[in-house]
Amino acid sequence: DTPEPSEKVTERPSSSPVVLTDAPASASPTDQATMSPTLQPVTLSPVTQSPTGIEPLRDQIGGCNIYAQCERCIGGCRDGTECEEGLSCFLRRGFEAVPGCEGPGERAQAYCYDPLYGGLSEESLLAVREWECDKKDRCGKCEGQCSQDEDCEKDLVCYRRFGLELVPGCASQGVLATSYCFDPDDYVAPV
């Protein structure tokens, strides 16, 4: 019966992670199994993350601007013109989660993000019509401005917003306090 080695992962400053494992049990001259008191370091190869992977939120010193546009998950933008092409500026009041990014970031800091992250398409971008939706002229998925469920096409419901809350199954933050029609099948309950 050989005990399983245990693993410990440690981070060294400005270096790749190191995995430390207990040395395997060995037979001593007395035929008693003993664990070696030393740890054997194993260096992991750095892993490059794909452009569609989740990135940590980071802040850019001096913020973003139209001449120094920020990359995805970089903070300091005021609007989408300060983010790289294809990205938008995700405005926050507190520590709201930024799609495709992880970590709390700075309180109320806006971050550049990909509004199509997670497989959303151009068709799912929030759109506001020039006129309000109503029972006679219903809004489709990701269209606003609805006031009640009856303003939306069949099987869609009105997602009422008071700020810039994300609309399930739709891309971008849309217009402040505008309600949009969405498919309730796209809603995932928080855990």
Side-chain angles (χ1 to χ4, degrees), residues 99-114:
C101 306
E102 67 180 356
E106 294 293 321
R107 184 178 195 280
Q109 175 76 286
Y111 290 87
C112 293
Y113 81 110
D114 180 357

Side-chain angles (χ1 to χ4, degrees), residues 18-159:
V18 174
V19 176
L20 300 174
T21 59
D22 293 332
S26 62
S28 68
T30 61
D31 289 333
Q32 294 286 327
T34 60
M35 295 298 290
S36 171
T38 61
L39 300 174
Q40 300 174 330
V42 178
T43 304
L44 299 177
S45 301
V47 177
T48 55
Q49 204 164 39
S50 73
T52 58
I54 292 184
E55 297 280 330
L57 289 175
R58 300 179 312 278
D59 293 316
Q60 178 164 305
I61 302 202
C64 311
N65 60 60
I66 59 172
Y67 304 107
Q69 294 175 321
C70 286
E71 299 173 3
R72 187 165 64 97
C73 303
I74 302 292
C77 58
R78 289 182 294 260
D79 61 48
T81 63
E82 297 180 346
C83 299
E84 289 184 345
E85 187 175 338
L87 301 179
S88 294
C89 186
F90 191 90
L91 304 174
R92 304 185 327 159
R93 290 184 178 174
F95 291 99
E96 296 88 350
V98 179
C101 306
E102 67 180 356
E106 294 293 321
R107 184 178 195 280
Q109 175 76 286
Y111 290 87
C112 293
Y113 81 110
D114 180 357
L116 303 179
Y117 179 81
L120 296 172
S121 66
E122 294 276 336
E123 293 80 39
S124 64
L125 284 169
L126 291 175
V128 178
R129 300 187 340 185
E130 291 182 24
W131 58 94
E132 285 193 23
C133 313
D134 60 32
K135 294 175 190 173
K136 295 177 187 167
D137 190 16
R138 298 174 191 256
C139 279
K141 183 177 177 179
C142 303
E143 283 186 325
Q145 309 175 13
C146 57
S147 300
Q148 56 190 345
D149 294 345
E150 291 77 23
D151 296 342
C152 301
E153 291 177 356
K154 184 179 181 185
D155 298 328
L156 299 178
V157 295
C158 186
Y159 192 86

Side-chain angles (χ1 to χ4, degrees), residues 162-185:
F162 301 98
L164 291 169
E165 300 91 336
L166 292 176
V167 178
C170 300
S172 83
Q173 288 183 296
V175 177
L176 179 70
T178 298
S179 298
Y180 294 88
C181 296
F182 83 107
D183 184 342
D185 291 339

